[in-house]
Amino acid sequence: MNENQFQERIIVKKASPLKGTIRIHGAKNAVLPIIAASILGKSEPSFIDDVPDLEDVRILCDAIRHLGGKVEYDSETLKIDTTSLHTTEPPKQLVQQMRASFLLMGSLLARTGHVKIYLPGGCAIGARPIDQHLKGFQALGAKIIITEEYVEAFVKERLQGAIIYLDTPSVGATENIMMAACLAKGTTILENAAQEPEIVDLANYLNSMGANIKGAGTNLIRIEGVEELYGTRHTVIPDRIETGTFLTVAAITQSELYLKGAMGNHLRAVISKLSEAGVHITEDDDGIFVSALQPLKPLQIKTLPYPGFPTDMQAQFVTMLAAASGTSYVSETVFENRYMHCTELQKMGANIIVDGRHATVIGGQPLQGAQVRMTDLRAGAAMIMAGLIAEGTTEITQLHHIDRGYVDIVGKLKNVGAEIHRMKPVESIPVQVLEQEEETITESITTRILRPTFV
């Protein structure tokens, strides 16, 4: 047997046009720094609403528990109580599962004066150095020790405000420095800051805790340090990348979908490119309606920091453009190793030529179902999209990637008419089931794996 047969996998068949409503969950990339920032609240717990039940969220919550915090999850609301902490060293096994764990550094350093954190993990999409984070901490007065395994930072009394210029507008560095500077003495000016909506959401959360932050969403952020922060209540913004993903799902399957809760202002570059490709998009107060009944047109795309075209939508657009008639050109300027999904798409018959940071997509050729793998989180969504238009059956493995960023993507697609199923590893399936025909197997096996809930 092929080793893929011993893995949990998603089975996708070619879809008819999809129709219906998909609810957009809270943004993973907003909630993770907000969870980390909760450490700064010493006097009372925080309540965070619209929290998606994702693997990355569970990992970060486990890290908070390890530090001594109390975390409860109920009906998409997190209650985080960090009034008492007993360590400043997040556990190695959790940190190395997820790069966003490094966001704990700024809040721990500001609150306790010390943090030791192992070098983080995450998707293998290229170098994402932490030098800008450390540069910011040093400017605020921290002493840094760097080894091959971990980074440790100290401050004797209290961080001091400073003028900090980021060499690149790093989202993580902007978030980490903002958290650290909230409790620093004096004023911090952060120049060339990242401008993503998730930065604004974090600033709004911190301000509701008692911080004094101005300019979030621009390239210059001013932070007046305060003596203490306290717990608060906050609702996370909707996930713009989940929204963009389902917009491209509609486009590639020539479907009509309503994305409830989506916010178009966070996706102007994506919406503009979809409109250019011939997709009709209408926004209202409650969400976005997308209608893609016309053949797709080719595009030229260049990923850039926000408000440019997001790198997290590149894989989905490459897949969509494989279905468009004509030749499209894609340039990836954010990460140097983010075309791994192209190899998997080529297995399905896509004509994609990758040259360094550039990809040429010669579209309009029918895709064929195949065994493919998820090479990273957003590539996972791209593989599902390809399966929805490919002839025959597509089998996708390495599902842990998709669980990091999408809440029940299989269930959401099934609800609007997709023929897609999530299957358990073959060794857990009864022998009599294995003897049935492939189609019967697909229909009879549990389509969604129940994942552990928050404690």
Side-chain angles (χ1 to χ4, degrees):
M1 286 188 177
N2 187 292
E3 66 175 335
N4 286 344
Q5 292 179 282
F6 294 95
Q7 299 182 39
E8 187 180 358
R9 57 206 188 277
I10 289 174
I11 304 296
V12 192
K13 292 193 175 181
K14 187 174 182 178
S16 302
L18 309 176
K19 197 171 184 69
T21 297
I22 292 176
R23 181 207 162 189
I24 300 301
H25 275 80
K28 167 205 159 186
N29 289 336
V31 77
L32 294 178
I34 286 171
I35 291 171
S38 298
I39 290 172
L40 295 167
K42 291 178 67 174
S43 56
E44 30 184 282
S46 282
F47 295 85
I48 309 166
D49 298 318
D50 284 359
V51 176
D53 184 6
L54 297 171
E55 184 65 23
D56 280 7
V57 174
R58 291 192 289 273
I59 290 170
L60 198 55
C61 286
D62 284 344
I64 296 283
R65 290 191 187 98
H66 178 89
L67 297 172
K70 299 175 183 177
V71 182
E72 299 174 14
Y73 183 77
D74 182 54
S75 301
E76 298 187 11
T77 293
L78 267 181
K79 177 185 178 183
I80 302 179
D81 185 346
T82 60
T83 51
S84 63
L85 300 176
H86 55 64
T87 181
T88 56
E89 298 182 18
K92 180 178 180 180
Q93 67 273 22
L94 293 179
V95 172
Q96 293 189 330
Q97 290 181 55
M98 185 183 64
R99 179 166 293 271
S101 303
F102 203 74
L103 292 171
L104 296 168
M105 192 169 187
S107 53
L108 282 171
L109 179 61
R111 175 167 167 180
T112 70
H114 172 260
V115 59
K116 177 180 176 182
I117 194 162
Y118 288 87
L119 296 177
C123 290
I125 57 176
R128 289 188 277 185
I130 58 172
D131 61 314
Q132 297 302 294
H133 303 242
L134 302 183
K135 171 184 174 180
F137 297 147
Q138 286 176 315
L140 294 171
K143 296 188 181 299
I144 307 290
I145 297 173
I146 306 173
T147 74
E148 292 183 358
E149 287 194 333
Y150 64 84
V151 175
E152 194 165 9
F154 307 84
V155 62
K156 283 186 178 180
E157 295 180 358
R158 187 177 173 189
L159 296 171
Q160 301 292 316
I163 298 174
I164 303 167
Y165 177 85
L166 296 179
D167 296 331
T168 59
S170 162
V171 174
T174 300
E175 292 167 341
N176 238 339
I177 295 166
M178 277 173 55
M179 287 185 268
C182 282
L183 294 179
K185 184 177 180 180
T187 302
T188 297
I189 305 293
L190 185 54
E191 299 176 336
N192 197 29
Q195 302 176 52
E196 274 76 357
E198 294 80 12
I199 301 289
V200 178
D201 206 32
L202 175 62
N204 289 339
Y205 177 67
L206 289 167
N207 283 340
S208 72
M209 296 176 78
N212 186 351
I213 302 172
K214 296 177 181 177
T218 74
N219 64 359
L220 192 146
I221 301 175
R222 183 185 183 94
I223 306 137
E224 297 287 348
V226 298
E227 294 290 333
E228 185 177 353
L229 298 179
Y230 43 84
T232 188
R233 183 152 212 146
H234 180 80
T235 299
V236 179
I237 59 173
D239 196 313
R240 63 191 172 100
I241 303 303
E242 184 188 26
T243 299
T245 297
F246 285 118
L247 289 174
T248 54
V249 165
I252 201 170
T253 57
Q254 295 189 300
S255 300
E256 293 182 315
L257 295 174
Y258 184 70
L259 307 183
K260 186 174 178 58
M263 291 180 64
N265 339 348
H266 295 168
L267 275 171
R268 287 295 161 226
V270 169
I271 289 173
S272 175
K273 283 298 177 182
L274 285 169
S275 299
E276 190 180 329
V279 179
H280 183 68
I281 294 173
T282 305
E283 301 172 40
D284 62 29
D285 291 341
D286 297 319
I288 298 175
F289 176 74
V290 52
S291 177
L293 305 182
Q294 303 299 319
L296 293 170
K297 301 173 184 176
L299 297 172
Q300 291 189 17
I301 291 172
K302 182 178 182 179
T303 66
L304 291 166
Y306 190 87
F309 188 90
T311 181
D312 278 352
M313 285 302 304
Q314 181 253 102
Q316 299 93 309
F317 263 74
V318 166
T319 305
M320 183 190 81
L321 294 172
S325 295
T327 301
S328 297
Y329 302 93
V330 179
S331 295
E332 174 58 62
T333 72
V334 180
F335 295 123
E336 77 281 2
N337 191 28
R338 206 163 197 181
Y339 285 126
M340 291 184 290
H341 53 280
C342 293
T343 301
E344 303 303 304
L345 290 170
Q346 288 164 348
K347 294 178 185 176
M348 302 177 73
N351 191 348
I352 304 171
I353 302 165
V354 177
D355 181 14
R357 289 178 178 257
H358 306 283
T360 302
V361 185
I362 304 168
Q365 302 180 44
L367 301 184
Q368 301 295 321
Q371 276 194 355
V372 293
R373 62 192 177 95
M374 297 182 177
T375 55
D376 61 66
L377 168 54
R378 306 307 172 184
M383 292 303 103
I384 291 173
M385 288 173 56
L388 290 171
I389 63 165
E391 299 294 336
T393 300
T394 299
E395 180 178 314
I396 310 168
T397 59
Q398 297 190 13
L399 308 191
H400 60 282
H401 290 298
I402 204 83
D403 291 336
R404 292 184 47 240
Y406 293 93
V407 176
D408 190 22
I409 190 171
V410 169
K412 288 184 177 184
L413 289 171
K414 282 173 69 71
N415 287 341
V416 293
E419 192 170 349
I420 179 170
H421 308 274
R422 185 161 179 161
M423 297 174 64
K424 292 181 179 179
V426 77
E427 63 264 31
S428 67
I429 302 171
V431 173
Q432 62 268 28
V433 175
L434 292 176
E435 294 173 349
Q436 297 177 34
E437 295 293 329
E438 175 187 340
E439 186 173 346
T440 307
I441 292 175
T442 301
E443 295 296 332
S444 64
I445 296 172
T446 303
T447 60
R448 184 169 182 262
I449 303 302
L450 295 177
R451 297 192 282 276
T453 58
F454 293 96
V455 177

